[in-house]
Amino acid sequence: MRIIMRMMSASRASNSNCNSGGPTATGGSIFVYGTLMSPEVMNTLLGPTLEKSQPVMQPAILCGYQRFPVKNHVFPGLIPAATTTAAPLTTAVPAETDCISTTTSIVQGIHVSNLSLPQQMDILDWFEGDEYTRVQTKVQLLNDKDNNNANDNDSGKNMVSCELYEWSNPVEELELERLEWDYDYFREQHLEWYLENTVRPCSQELKQRGHYNDNENYKVLE
């Protein structure tokens, strides 16, 4: 992720510099599990693009992964459960969750769909940076059993295909000895600081680079 403020306490470190590229932009739906779960973060980053394409955010469950705080930062990294010996998540999950029949390593997050403008996914890729790789996955949507995007082969389970940002830096940079990264705690303790010191500066840089232009004048981030 992007870091704007170099001089900060370890407990409030943010993302990495707003100046290097992330994965190549494709697709239109993604599972988010960290700071992007915040509507304030998402809306600030996507900015004027929301006037033409409004993403749809829906609670979802991801199986087979674990989410840990990144050392000295307020955001998490997501890794396959098989890559760590840390104990799987055992906290309560929604009753309609089906995938826990095969694994207890689950992550609750948000499925974001309708990212229909090319610059919207490109913005998120740029913000996440080189510490993450966007990969294909499936998640289970919650509270919407009639969702029309569910795959035919997964009818009744409300599974949908999407992408996610998997942590690609060394796992030693994650706090594996700690409990799972907590979204509610992030909102209570760090959200306002994070918006002010990371997200809004990133948004300003996106504006200066012409990334909020309409489709005809859209400039791909590098």
Side-chain angles (χ1 to χ4, degrees), residues 112-133:
V112 183
S113 59
N114 199 39
L115 293 164
S116 58
L117 298 182
Q119 58 262 56
Q120 288 180 324
M121 192 69 83
D122 196 15
I123 287 169
L124 299 183
D125 284 349
W126 177 79
F127 182 71
E128 291 297 301
D130 296 330
E131 297 94 335
Y132 299 84
T133 300

Side-chain angles (χ1 to χ4, degrees), residues 56-161:
V56 177
M57 303 179 73
Q58 183 175 348
I61 289 287
L62 171 71
C63 296
Y65 277 82
Q66 290 180 272
R67 166 179 53 190
F68 297 98
V70 178
K71 291 179 179 178
N72 300 324
H73 297 287
V74 302
F75 53 85
L78 186 79
I79 57 176
T83 63
T84 174
T85 58
L89 175 66
T90 57
T91 54
V93 296
E96 63 266 37
T97 303
D98 292 321
C99 63
I100 59 174
S101 61
T102 58
T103 177
T104 55
S105 297
I106 65 170
V107 174
Q108 273 191 268
I110 300 292
H111 176 260
V112 183
S113 59
N114 199 39
L115 293 164
S116 58
L117 298 182
Q119 58 262 56
Q120 288 180 324
M121 192 69 83
D122 196 15
I123 287 169
L124 299 183
D125 284 349
W126 177 79
F127 182 71
E128 291 297 301
D130 296 330
E131 297 94 335
Y132 299 84
T133 300
R134 185 147 50 86
V135 300
Q136 288 284 341
T137 191
K138 287 185 179 182
V139 298
Q140 182 180 352
L141 300 180
L142 303 177
N143 305 321
D144 188 7
K145 293 299 184 182
D146 296 324
N147 186 278
N148 292 326
N149 292 325
N151 297 327
D152 291 339
N153 292 336
D154 295 307
S155 59
K157 295 182 180 180
N158 211 26
M159 302 293 290
V160 296
S161 295

Side-chain angles (χ1 to χ4, degrees), residues 2-17 72-75 193-194 197-198:
R2 308 278 159 194
I3 293 181
I4 299 297
M5 301 294 290
R6 289 285 185 182
M7 302 298 292
M8 62 183 70
S9 67
S11 65
R12 286 202 150 188
S14 155
N15 296 2
S16 50
N17 288 328
N72 300 324
H73 297 287
V74 302
F75 53 85
W193 179 91
Y194 188 71
N197 292 283
T198 293

